Amino acid sequence: MSGINTTLRVRYDFLDAFFVRLGFVYDQQIAGGDDSFKLTSNALLINSLANSMDPVASLAGQKVTQEWTYGYWAIPVTVGINVPVTEKFNLYAGIGLTYYSGYWQLKIKAPQGYMIGDYNGDHNPTATSADLDLAVAGKEKVKFEASGIGINWTVGASVVVYQDISLFI
């Protein structure tokens, strides 16, 4: 899975020794994240032994597909100090807060009988043939989302390239 990260930051220096930096970060998947596999009789035998069932031969050769995605954005605010080394070279350090919001998601498509649960409502912890008969082809989507505030920090060096333009490392 490959993603793209875009960042925009604005920095304001004040009192000859301090700075405030505000940013926006956006990260999202742009490629990959797709996966598929075929079920084999060995995998079905292991699954069936774990569930105390007979092997389900009709699933051999069937395909399971998965799609993974993610994305997030953040707004960091940092306050720090500049330590001049030469006229054009500074060391800097800062600490701040970041608000972030993001998600991670999985979609799966599986053949009938691959995902077995208590479909007949008998509350039997061991899947039965009645459960298998009622199981339909699985098509699920799970999405986890999170947001909050966290601490950020930065340490680095900057060099003046042109008046009011600096390169930050």
Side-chain angles (χ1 to χ4, degrees):
M1 183 171 6
S2 298
I4 188 167
N5 178 280
T6 55
T7 302
L8 174 66
R9 291 195 175 110
V10 178
R11 179 177 152 146
Y12 178 73
D13 292 327
F14 62 97
L15 299 176
D16 293 329
F18 301 99
F19 69 89
V20 173
R21 186 170 73 180
L22 175 67
F24 180 77
V25 180
Y26 183 74
D27 195 349
Q28 184 169 344
Q29 172 192 351
I30 59 170
D34 300 320
D35 188 20
S36 65
F37 59 91
K38 287 193 175 188
L39 299 171
T40 64
S41 57
N42 289 343
L44 294 171
L45 180 60
I46 291 168
N47 187 35
S48 65
L49 291 175
N51 291 316
S52 300
M53 291 181 54
D54 295 325
V56 185
S58 63
L59 290 177
Q62 298 270 355
K63 187 175 179 181
V64 175
T65 60
Q66 303 172 2
E67 181 183 330
W68 305 78
T69 57
Y70 75 94
Y72 82 93
W73 60 270
I75 300 174
V77 178
T78 308
V79 176
I81 187 167
N82 289 314
V83 179
V85 177
T86 68
E87 185 178 320
K88 292 188 174 193
F89 185 75
N90 286 329
L91 297 177
Y92 64 88
I95 191 163
L97 294 175
T98 300
Y99 177 79
Y100 62 90
S101 180
Y103 71 93
W104 175 85
Q105 179 175 288
L106 169 65
K107 292 181 192 176
I108 185 168
K109 185 177 179 185
Q112 179 179 358
Y114 181 70
M115 294 184 274
I116 301 173
D118 186 20
Y119 293 105
N120 64 357
D122 65 359
H123 304 293
N124 184 348
T126 304
T128 64
S129 60
D131 291 321
L132 181 58
D133 291 340
L134 295 171
V136 296
K139 190 172 183 182
E140 296 291 330
K141 177 180 171 181
V142 178
K143 187 173 186 179
F144 301 95
E145 296 179 323
S147 62
I149 296 177
I151 296 174
N152 70 56
W153 57 274
T154 185
V155 175
S158 65
V159 62
V160 176
V161 179
Y162 191 72
Q163 182 180 354
D164 295 330
I165 297 176
S166 296
L167 177 63
F168 295 91
I169 301 170

